Amino acid sequence: TAEALMYGCPIVGTKEAFEGYELDHSKIGGLAQTPQEMIEAINRLKNRQLLSSCRKYAREIFLNEYSIESTTKILRANIL
């Protein structure tokens, strides 16, 4: 999940795939618990505008919340 975020890839995953991540599932690609939900979420990504939006959101979430730089900033703010 972190690597997909880093590369700005949309993610369709189960709740376990997103465990520990604070993000909006509808903006990243989708949350799917069943095979049918997975198919529907993947098919929604055929919309180029939605796909582009998910890519942008994924990259922004990574940079703002999970990158080394953002983690360092959070640690410095809370430790120093």
Side-chain angles (χ1 to χ4, degrees):
T1 301
E3 189 171 5
L5 292 172
M6 181 176 68
Y7 286 107
C9 295
I11 305 169
V12 175
T14 62
K15 64 181 182 176
E16 290 83 11
F18 295 116
E19 190 69 36
Y21 291 92
E22 299 276 333
L23 47 82
D24 185 333
H25 303 116
S26 65
K27 290 183 179 181
I28 199 75
L31 177 65
Q33 289 301 114
T34 67
Q36 186 61 37
E37 290 173 344
M38 188 71 68
I39 291 166
E40 291 169 3
I42 291 168
N43 283 334
R44 279 193 302 272
L45 292 174
K46 289 180 182 178
N47 176 311
R48 290 190 183 274
Q49 186 175 7
L50 177 61
L51 182 63
S52 177
S53 175
C54 289
R55 286 178 173 159
K56 182 179 178 186
Y57 179 76
R59 183 67 178 157
E60 287 175 358
I61 284 292
F62 175 77
L63 291 174
N64 294 332
E65 302 294 332
Y66 303 107
S67 67
I68 291 173
E69 293 81 8
S70 67
T71 303
T72 301
K73 185 185 287 186
I74 292 167
L75 288 172
R76 283 187 178 157
N78 291 302
I79 293 175
L80 300 177

